[in-house]
Amino acid sequence: MDFIITKASPPIQQALQIIQQSPIVEQLERLYRRSSRNELIFIGTATFLTLYNLSSYIKTKCQKLNAPPTVPFSLPLIGHTLYTTFMPYKFLDWCDKRYGEIYNLHLLGQTVTVANGKCGEETLKAERDDLSLEHGVVRDLLHLHYLFDDDGMEIAMQVNPYLLKKAVPNSRMRSLVPGIQRGLENAVHDLFHPSEPTIIKEPSEFFQDYVAYMSVPTLVGDEAGTNIEVIKSFAAFTGDIIKNVGLFAAVPDRLHKYLMRFMTGTFKHHRVMEKHLGPIVREHREKMRQAEEAGVPHGLEPTYLQLLIEWKKDDGVSGYTDKQICHALLSVAFASVHTTSTNLLYCISWLIVRPDLKEQLLEEIRRVSPGDKPVTYDELQQMAFLNNFVREVLRQGTDPLATGKKAMRDYTYYNGYQVPKGRLVQTASRQLNFGTNSTRSTIEEMDPTKSNNKTTTTPARDYVAFGMGKHLCPGRFFATQEIEMSLVYLLKNYDFNTVRNRKPYPITTIAGILNVNTQEPLIFTPKKKIHRGD
C-alpha cells in the first residue's frame, strides 16, 4: 500500500522529505524532549485555541471594514498575552501612546479590540443591541445561560437592574442600615472567634461568606436573613461558576453539553433556593392575594425578592413562576456578593500595606463615631476620609482590561474605526481612571486625597468603577454602604495583618488583564472580647 501511494503521489513524498530535512523539525523535537508536562499542555492548549479561532480570523480579514490598527510583535500561538502578563501597565500605555484610542491585540487565542479615551467611554455607554455585556461575558465566558432558562436570563440582564434601582436606591440607604448592621453582626458572630485571633487562610472565600450575611436580609428579607444554607449558596455560587470558566474556554461550545453532566455541584444552588425560598415566595403570594381581596395594601417590605414577585411581563398580566424567582436570586448573588467582597478585601489589604492610611481612618472613626456603638448613617456621611479612601481603592481595583462586550453587529465608533460582528471589545478601564495605567501604580503612590471629597458612588470620566451612562451599576449605593460599615466595625474591634507579616501588593492580576485579590492568609485579632448576644 505504501508503494502505491508513493508512486501515485510523488509530490507528497517530496514535500514530506523536505519537511523532515528542515531545521525547524529538529528544533521542535529538541523543544519537545526538554519541555515539562505542564509546558507541553500550555503549548498544546494555546495551539488549539489559535487553530479554533483561525476561521474567524480569516473571515475578519475578508471583511471590508475600517479596522483599528493591530499592534505588531504578536508572538506565535500566545499573541500579546506574554506582554500583558509581565508588563501590563507599561505595555498598554505604550499601545495607547503609539496607536491611540482603539487598537487590536491577540490575547488568549483570539483577537480583541481595546478601547480607551472617548472610544472607551463610548464602549461603556453603548446600547446592548450594539455592544453586549450579556454576550461578551455572561453567556460566552461565564455561560450562565446553562443555569437559567430564557426567562431567567431575562431577569438577570433586563429586570434585575430595574428592580435593584427600586430595592436599594440611595434614597433608602438610611432605612437599610439596621438590616445591614444585623447581617454584619451575624457574620462576625459566625465567622470570627470572640476572644482569640481568627486566621483566614482563604480570604476571598471568607469575605464572600461575610458579605452574603450582610446582603441576604436586605435583598431577600428577614425570613431568610439567618438561614445558613441560603447564605452559603449566595456566597459560593460565584466561585462555583468561575471554577468552570477555564474548562469551558478550552472546549468548543458544541461539546459543552457533555461537560454539564459532570457539573452537578453548580445546580445544587437551585435546589437550595427552591427548598428555602420557595415557601417564602408562596407565603408572600398568599398575603398579597388576601390583601387584594380585602382591598388593602399588603404591607410587605419592598425587598428585591418582593419586587420580583410583583413584577409583570410585557403583557402586563403574567409574572414569573416560583421556581424562576428562586433561581433569579442567584443572579443577584453573583453580581452583589462577588464585587462587594472583592472590593472590601482590597480595602483591607491596602490598610495593611499602608499603616499611615489605616491610622488616618482610625482617627476619623474615633472622632466621628466614638465608642463601641454601631456607626450610623449620618456618621458615615461625615467621614470624608473614609469616602475618599474607598473611592481610591475602587479606582485602583478596576481591571486593566474590563467590561468585555461582544459586537452584535458591525459597529462604527465616532472616529470611523469599525469592529466586526462577533468581536470582543475590552475597555482600558484603569487607563480611563488615571490617564495612564502606570499612574499611581505603586503602593506609595496610593493617595485618597486625590478624590477631593467626590462621592464614592458618583461616576465621572476619570472614575468608571461602576460603569457609565445608563449601564451604571444599580447596586452601587448598597455595595458602598456595606463596605464602609464593615471597615468601621472591623477597625473598631480588630487589629488585622497578614499571618506572615508580609506586605504584598493588594491587587494581583490574571495575565495582566483581570484584577484579583491577593490570597495571602490574614489574621484578625480582637482588640477586646466581642460581646455575643447568644
Side-chain angles (χ1 to χ4, degrees):
M1 182 65 71
D2 291 342
F3 175 78
I4 295 174
I5 293 176
T6 302
K7 292 293 289 184
S9 307
I12 295 178
Q13 184 184 35
Q14 293 173 10
L16 289 173
Q17 290 175 349
I18 292 172
I19 292 173
Q20 289 171 348
Q21 294 169 4
S22 171
I24 295 176
V25 174
E26 184 179 350
Q27 293 174 16
L28 290 173
E29 185 178 355
R30 286 201 301 268
L31 174 64
Y32 173 79
R33 288 177 177 175
R34 69 168 181 261
S35 296
S36 68
R37 179 174 178 270
N38 288 337
E39 288 171 333
L40 290 174
I41 291 174
F42 174 80
I43 293 171
T45 302
T47 304
F48 172 79
L49 291 172
T50 301
L51 294 174
Y52 182 66
N53 290 286
L54 184 60
S55 61
S56 61
Y57 173 77
I58 295 173
K59 181 179 178 181
T60 300
K61 282 292 185 181
C62 296
Q63 290 176 311
K64 303 297 183 181
L65 296 178
N66 182 26
T70 297
V71 176
F73 314 116
S74 176
L75 300 175
L77 304 179
I78 60 175
H80 299 96
T81 308
L82 191 66
Y83 309 133
T84 59
T85 299
F86 291 103
M87 49 178 181
Y89 295 172
K90 289 183 179 179
F91 177 66
L92 292 175
D93 287 346
W94 178 83
C95 291
D96 176 48
K97 184 177 180 181
R98 188 73 179 266
Y99 300 101
E101 292 185 349
I102 187 167
Y103 50 85
N104 295 329
L105 294 177
H106 301 307
L107 298 174
L108 303 177
Q110 65 177 321
T111 300
V112 173
T113 296
V114 176
N116 55 64
K118 291 184 179 179
C119 287
E121 295 177 23
E122 185 176 343
T123 301
L124 291 172
K125 294 179 179 179
E127 297 291 339
R128 59 195 300 269
D129 292 336
D130 292 323
L131 300 177
S132 171
L133 179 65
E134 176 180 349
H135 289 272
V137 175
V138 177
R139 289 179 180 267
D140 292 0
L141 178 66
L142 301 174
H143 299 286
L144 287 186
H145 59 297
Y146 295 162
L147 299 173
F148 302 111
D149 61 17
D150 290 342
D151 280 339
M153 290 300 297
E154 179 181 80
I155 295 172
M157 301 309 303
Q158 299 178 45
V159 178
N160 277 352
Y162 177 82
L163 293 185
L164 287 171
K165 288 177 183 178
K166 295 185 66 176
V168 288
N170 191 34
S171 59
R172 290 197 66 207
M173 283 304 107
R174 182 189 297 274
S175 64
L176 295 180
V177 165
I180 298 174
Q181 184 66 33
R182 287 195 302 273
L184 187 159
E185 291 173 356
N186 289 335
V188 171
H189 180 280
D190 289 353
L191 301 177
F192 288 87
H193 296 298
S195 57
E196 62 185 69
T198 299
I199 295 178
I200 303 172
K201 295 181 180 179
E202 297 179 344
S204 289
E205 292 185 11
F206 181 91
F207 281 99
Q208 285 172 10
D209 286 348
Y210 177 94
V211 170
Y213 271 91
M214 285 193 292
S215 301
V216 169
T218 299
L219 296 176
V220 181
D222 286 333
E223 300 104 316
T226 57
N227 188 308
I228 299 301
E229 285 194 67
V230 172
I231 290 170
K232 290 292 184 181
S233 245
F234 254 66
F237 180 69
T238 299
D240 287 346
I241 293 296
I242 292 175
K243 288 175 185 176
N244 299 330
V245 168
L247 184 58
F248 282 131
V251 177
D253 290 355
R254 65 178 65 93
L255 300 179
H256 286 182
K257 62 182 180 181
Y258 299 107
L259 295 178
M260 295 305 297
R261 68 186 66 176
F262 302 108
M263 298 178 181
T264 55
T266 308
F267 290 97
K268 68 183 179 185
H269 302 293
H270 285 174
R271 296 190 293 272
V272 170
M273 294 296 128
E274 292 171 25
K275 174 184 175 182
H276 296 286
L277 300 187
I280 296 175
V281 172
R282 290 188 287 274
E283 180 182 346
H284 281 218
R285 289 195 193 278
E286 178 60 23
K287 288 182 178 179
M288 292 165 60
R289 185 190 66 78
Q290 293 176 0
E292 185 177 10
E293 289 181 353
V296 297
H298 56 63
L300 293 166
E301 186 72 16
T303 62
Y304 164 81
L305 174 62
Q306 177 59 30
L307 293 173
L308 185 56
I309 294 171
E310 297 174 10
W311 179 265
K312 299 299 181 185
K313 297 182 182 180
D314 292 340
D315 60 13
V317 178
S318 59
Y320 295 109
T321 67
D322 294 358
K323 181 180 290 189
Q324 288 171 336
I325 290 172
C326 291
H327 293 180
L329 267 295
L330 293 171
S331 64
V332 173
F334 186 90
S336 62
V337 172
H338 176 68
T339 54
T340 305
S341 63
T342 296
N343 285 301
L344 174 57
L345 186 49
Y346 284 154
C347 289
I348 291 169
S349 299
W350 276 111
L351 293 175
I352 289 173
V353 300
R354 287 288 301 273
D356 58 318
L357 300 181
K358 183 178 181 181
E359 187 53 43
Q360 284 180 265
L361 191 48
L362 277 168
E363 189 281 326
E364 182 175 69
I365 292 171
R366 297 187 194 104
R367 175 169 47 83
V368 177
S369 181
D372 296 332
K373 61 183 178 62
V375 67
T376 66
Y377 177 83
D378 289 331
E379 288 172 343
L380 285 174
Q381 306 315 301
Q382 300 173 45
M383 295 186 181
F385 185 79
L386 173 63
N387 172 85
N388 290 339
F389 171 73
V390 173
R391 189 176 188 273
E392 174 72 4
V393 169
L394 290 171
R395 293 178 79 191
Q396 291 280 353
T398 302
D399 299 319
L401 297 179
T403 323
K405 292 187 173 184
K406 185 175 183 178
M408 304 308 292
R409 56 172 66 99
D410 294 346
Y411 181 77
T412 303
Y413 279 87
Y414 84 97
N415 56 9
Y417 279 124
Q418 297 172 297
V419 294
K421 179 180 178 181
R423 171 67 55 80
L424 185 68
V425 182
Q426 295 278 21
T427 305
S429 297
R430 197 180 199 282
Q431 217 159 34
L432 289 177
N433 279 349
F434 293 110
T436 69
N437 282 283
S438 301
T439 300
R440 302 222 297 274
S441 60
T442 67
I443 291 177
E444 294 74 20
E445 291 176 312
M446 201 279 197
D447 187 1
T449 63
K450 297 288 187 179
S451 282
N452 297 317
N453 298 331
K454 297 175 182 176
T455 307
T456 306
T457 53
T458 302
R461 297 183 69 180
D462 62 349
Y463 181 58
V464 298
F466 293 113
M468 296 186 79
K470 65 173 66 175
H471 304 301
L472 273 172
C473 172
R476 64 191 185 277
F477 304 107
F478 183 55
T480 301
Q481 194 82 2
E482 289 183 316
I483 291 171
E484 292 183 350
M485 290 176 65
S486 294
L487 290 175
V488 173
Y489 184 93
L490 294 174
L491 283 167
K492 277 187 174 187
N493 292 284
Y494 293 92
D495 290 315
F496 46 84
N497 202 346
T498 58
V499 170
R500 291 180 286 185
N501 199 28
R502 293 176 56 186
K503 308 296 182 186
Y505 195 80
I507 302 167
T508 58
T509 64
I510 297 176
I513 298 172
L514 300 174
N515 287 342
V516 294
N517 295 118
T518 177
Q519 288 305 298
E520 187 72 22
L522 303 177
I523 181 170
F524 280 70
T525 304
K527 292 183 177 179
K528 58 184 178 180
K529 185 172 181 179
I530 307 297
H531 173 72
R532 294 288 177 83
D534 295 322

